Amino acid sequence: MSSKVRQRLSRDERYHQLMGVAWTIVRKEGAEALTLGHLAEQSGVTKPVVYDHFGTRSGLLVALYREFDVRQTALIEQAIKENCGTLESCAKAIADGYVDCVMAQAKEIPGVAAALGTLPELEKVKRTCKTAFLKKCQAALAPFSPSGAVHFAGLQSMLGAAEALSYAAAAKDITEQQAKQELRATITDMVARQVG
């Protein structure tokens, strides 16, 4: 058990504390080090407290992924709301928001996403988050499409590019600015191809 002093917190406060410690473990030690026992020790609580909040390691990974997704969605929604007067400004809002969010957790989210990817029952969570994101992008970009619509296949290609470019920037294979510029171009090209 850790020598940290236990604090009496509400259930919601405890959940947020545990999530903060979980992100710290992933950042410092990697996602493979994140177990419920280790989280309990680092948080200064007993294992039953952590199990009560997350149930399983998979439950904890899902909670982390969802928290990342909520943060990413809010950032991109705000950027779209404020900056979608033209296709170029909308593409910039989506691209910059996506890359910025991944870069903010560049050390943590790839490990969490990889751990989720190895658990078949959790693929549904990733799919649900991605579908919601693509629907928001579809609604934002459709007014700029020659056909007035953006097809799901095009959005999937945009998402693939967004993930690849963001993670390449996080790995320092390319610069953050290069990732944003290439993603903006990918988005505007994809929308321009929506002719039927």
Side-chain angles (χ1 to χ4, degrees):
M1 186 80 158
S2 173
S3 61
K4 296 177 182 178
V5 178
R6 287 189 196 166
Q7 296 177 304
R8 284 213 173 266
L9 301 174
S10 70
R11 183 168 177 77
D12 191 51
E13 290 169 332
R14 180 64 69 196
Y15 176 84
H16 289 294
Q17 180 230 0
L18 292 170
M19 291 293 284
V21 173
W23 281 119
T24 299
I25 291 170
V26 173
R27 186 179 316 113
K28 291 182 177 178
E29 303 174 49
E32 65 282 350
L34 185 61
T35 64
L36 297 184
H38 188 47
L39 177 57
E41 181 181 319
Q42 294 300 305
S43 300
V45 299
T46 61
K47 286 182 187 179
V49 171
V50 177
Y51 280 89
D52 182 49
H53 281 279
F54 304 108
T56 63
R57 181 176 187 266
S58 298
L60 174 57
L61 290 167
V62 167
L64 290 171
Y65 190 85
R66 282 191 175 139
E67 184 174 273
F68 169 76
D69 182 68
V70 165
R71 199 175 5 235
Q72 183 179 44
T73 299
L75 196 141
I76 292 171
E77 278 180 351
Q78 187 63 31
I80 288 171
K81 184 178 173 184
E82 294 173 357
N83 303 300
C84 265
T86 65
L87 174 57
E88 290 72 22
S89 64
C90 199
K92 182 180 185 327
I94 293 169
D96 292 6
Y98 196 98
V99 173
D100 286 345
C101 198
V102 171
M103 294 303 292
Q105 290 193 282
K107 292 184 76 173
E108 301 95 337
I109 202 59
V112 171
L116 279 170
T118 64
L119 303 166
E121 71 272 21
L122 300 178
E123 184 58 34
K124 183 179 178 183
V125 173
K126 287 172 66 175
R127 181 177 278 264
T128 300
C129 293
K130 287 178 181 181
T131 299
F133 169 72
L134 291 179
K135 285 182 179 179
K136 288 177 191 343
C137 292
Q138 187 175 40
L141 294 169
F144 307 108
S145 164
S147 68
V150 177
H151 303 290
F152 209 65
L155 292 166
Q156 287 288 353
S157 70
M158 176 197 76
L159 180 59
E163 289 177 346
L165 290 164
S166 295
Y167 293 126
K172 305 219 183 295
D173 294 334
I174 61 175
T175 67
E176 194 173 330
Q177 194 55 36
Q178 287 172 322
K180 290 177 179 180
Q181 288 173 341
E182 191 61 34
L183 185 51
R184 288 176 207 152
T186 299
I187 294 168
T188 55
D189 291 347
M190 180 272 294
V191 173
R193 289 193 310 271
Q194 305 297 308
V195 292

